Amino acid sequence: MSRNEGMDRRQLLRLAGLSAAGVGLTAAGCGSGGGSNGAVTIRHAWWGADDRAKKVQECVRLFEKKHPKIKVKTDFQQYADFWKKFNTQAAGGNPPDVIQNAVTFLRKYEAKNVLLDLNPQAKKGNLQLDGFRSGLEKFAEIDGKLLGVPVGSNSMALVIDEKVYEKAGIDHSLGWTWDDWYAGLRKIKSVSHMAGDSGPHGIMYLYDLILRQNGKAFFTKDGMGFGEAELLPYWTESLARVKAGIYADQKKVEQIKPASALAKGISAGEFTWDNFSVRYSAEGKSSYGLAPIPSTDGKKTGQYLGSLMLSGTARTKHPAEVATFISFMTHDPAVARIMGYDRGVPATTAQFEAFQPADAPSKAIGAYETEIADAGVLEPITPHPAGADVVEAAFLRIGSDMSLGKSSPQDSVKQFFSEAKTALASN
């Protein structure tokens, strides 16, 4: 996952899910060609804002200088527009040779034969696969196929208002439990007369960690990894906490979007991906920090590293050049110095060591990921089934509607599983 600047996450997920429907490779391929000087041209597409585009293009110029026989044509869009365009290109048999990708989409596009298996290129020496940081070694392997290579990492964290937590005297060190966390929320309510959390009940990736702490997971490789019996008490308790003011007033949370409830002083904390945390200092007036994920037993957090990745597409006529470009983007130290933490913490040790951030939020992100890696809590990520992006959007939307009083927890749970079943069956 990476920041999708300027858009509400619910909107992004909805648009991405709808636009991805029905993509397949049925038309004849139209791969990239060669230039008049004998150079091979490949196409690279990604999503992001203008700042990311400038950085990627600078990296491309450096790559072309080091590999003069490979030219890279670039294209970028906002998140939702990227997937719309990519789906159209893929359906027409002419997708870009290299795309920015995420784990949510791996099985969806693998099932439609869109993605390139990079293992053969690694065996030929065109793609370097060693030197990745702990937790990222086999990030995008599905059924023996290597469908992507991580360029950066992130992990779920609790972003807190440090001043509020300090005033309430809350110990949030690694190893704290959900009971410790909830006791802290009640203390914040008592001491500072504010909600302790923005409301975590619609965050699929947080609920996945809770399930993993208890021996399950949100997804299996084939579908859902839990049932109504697990979700109903979770959402019932969440609604009770909203009504009690332990979680923030959801009407206020909705009113200030896309601004963060934490940054606007409506709550003292919220769960999100660690690399999203840079937004709070820009939006808010307090001091913000990263706290570790609480656990059931004080040990197993269920955490893994998420990541943006680079994937090749199956219709490329230049798999060796694609692999060479991906290897450069993930290993060359100069790329890290250009990109910084724009796409998360650099995935390889060489790039992680090459860039030392100067700003406090980025330093905190790097320190946080180092801490959880050293603590040994990181586990392998479970590849998501096709349709996972639509399921995530439904979880967010239905959980939000429930907390706004639009439906009961019982009806919300039934609606979610009905929509999830449809989403997974139709992909």
Side-chain angles (χ1 to χ4, degrees), residues 251-273:
K251 292 181 180 178
K252 292 182 179 179
V253 173
E254 288 293 318
Q255 288 170 355
I256 64 168
K257 285 184 176 178
S260 157
L262 171 60
K264 295 303 180 184
I266 294 175
S267 76
E270 58 189 41
F271 292 92
T272 188
W273 295 100

Side-chain angles (χ1 to χ4, degrees), residues 285-308:
K285 298 179 180 179
S286 190
S287 173
Y288 307 98
L290 293 172
I293 298 294
S295 64
T296 301
D297 61 2
K299 299 177 182 178
K300 180 181 173 66
T301 67
Q303 281 177 272
Y304 44 79
L305 293 181
S307 178
L308 285 177

Side-chain angles (χ1 to χ4, degrees), residues 13 72 104 109 119 122 134 136 145 156 165 174-175 189 233 245 262 287 300 334 372 379 383 396 399 414:
L13 289 166
V72 183
T104 312
Y109 290 118
N119 273 323
S134 177
L136 293 167
K145 297 179 180 179
M156 288 297 296
Y165 264 68
L174 190 68
K189 177 68 174 175
L262 171 60
S287 173
K300 180 181 173 66
I372 60 177
E379 303 174 3
L396 177 63
K414 290 186 181 299

Side-chain angles (χ1 to χ4, degrees), residues 335-407:
V335 170
R337 289 189 284 269
I338 293 169
M339 296 301 302
Y341 282 11
D342 181 85
R343 297 178 297 187
V345 180
T348 57
T349 300
Q351 290 194 344
F352 179 74
E353 293 176 350
F355 175 73
Q356 299 298 321
D359 62 294
S362 293
K363 285 182 178 179
I365 295 167
Y368 175 74
E369 292 199 9
T370 298
E371 178 185 38
I372 60 177
D374 291 346
V377 301
L378 294 175
E379 303 174 3
I381 190 172
T382 302
H384 296 10
D389 53 325
V390 182
V391 174
E392 182 185 2
F395 193 79
L396 177 63
R397 170 175 45 81
I398 295 169
S400 178
D401 287 347
M402 177 206 67
S403 63
L404 289 167
K406 295 180 180 180
S407 61

Side-chain angles (χ1 to χ4, degrees), residues 123-359:
K123 292 177 181 178
K124 292 178 181 179
N126 296 322
L127 176 63
Q128 183 180 349
L129 293 181
D130 59 354
F132 283 90
R133 291 169 42 232
S134 177
L136 293 167
E137 299 90 341
K138 295 184 178 181
F139 186 80
E141 283 194 352
I142 293 181
D143 300 331
K145 297 179 180 179
L146 181 63
L147 302 179
V149 179
V151 293
S153 69
N154 56 8
S155 191
M156 288 297 296
L158 173 63
V159 185
I160 62 171
D161 185 319
E162 293 178 317
K163 294 179 179 178
V164 175
Y165 264 68
E166 182 178 356
K167 182 178 180 180
I170 300 171
D171 179 6
H172 51 78
S173 56
L174 190 68
W176 70 332
T177 66
W178 289 109
D179 289 340
D180 296 331
W181 171 73
Y182 184 55
L185 300 193
R186 295 199 305 269
K187 196 168 184 182
I188 288 170
K189 177 68 174 175
S190 174
V191 173
S192 296
H193 308 290
M194 66 185 301
D197 194 274
S198 299
H201 43 277
I203 305 173
M204 184 191 82
Y205 284 99
L206 176 65
Y207 190 54
D208 182 34
L209 299 189
I210 294 172
L211 290 168
R212 288 164 68 97
Q213 290 176 17
N214 290 278
K216 297 191 175 185
F218 200 100
F219 292 117
T220 66
K221 67 177 183 178
D222 300 314
M224 305 299 293
F226 68 105
E228 293 184 16
E230 288 84 15
L231 184 56
L232 180 57
Y234 180 68
W235 271 359
T236 300
E237 181 62 26
S238 295
L239 183 59
R241 292 177 180 181
V242 171
K243 292 180 177 179
I246 299 296
Y247 292 169
D249 183 332
Q250 298 301 293
K251 292 181 180 178
K252 292 182 179 179
V253 173
E254 288 293 318
Q255 288 170 355
I256 64 168
K257 285 184 176 178
S260 157
L262 171 60
K264 295 303 180 184
I266 294 175
S267 76
E270 58 189 41
F271 292 92
T272 188
W273 295 100
D274 57 15
N275 65 314
F276 284 29
S277 63
V278 296
R279 69 177 292 193
Y280 298 97
S281 296
E283 289 183 6
K285 298 179 180 179
S286 190
S287 173
Y288 307 98
L290 293 172
I293 298 294
S295 64
T296 301
D297 61 2
K299 299 177 182 178
K300 180 181 173 66
T301 67
Q303 281 177 272
Y304 44 79
L305 293 181
S307 178
L308 285 177
M309 67 187 74
L310 295 180
S311 295
T313 55
R315 292 279 178 159
T316 182
K317 291 184 177 181
H318 308 292
E321 287 80 5
V322 163
T324 300
F325 177 68
I326 292 175
S327 197
F328 171 83
M329 292 295 285
T330 53
H331 288 276
D332 195 290
V335 170
R337 289 189 284 269
I338 293 169
M339 296 301 302
Y341 282 11
D342 181 85
R343 297 178 297 187
V345 180
T348 57
T349 300
Q351 290 194 344
F352 179 74
E353 293 176 350
F355 175 73
Q356 299 298 321
D359 62 294

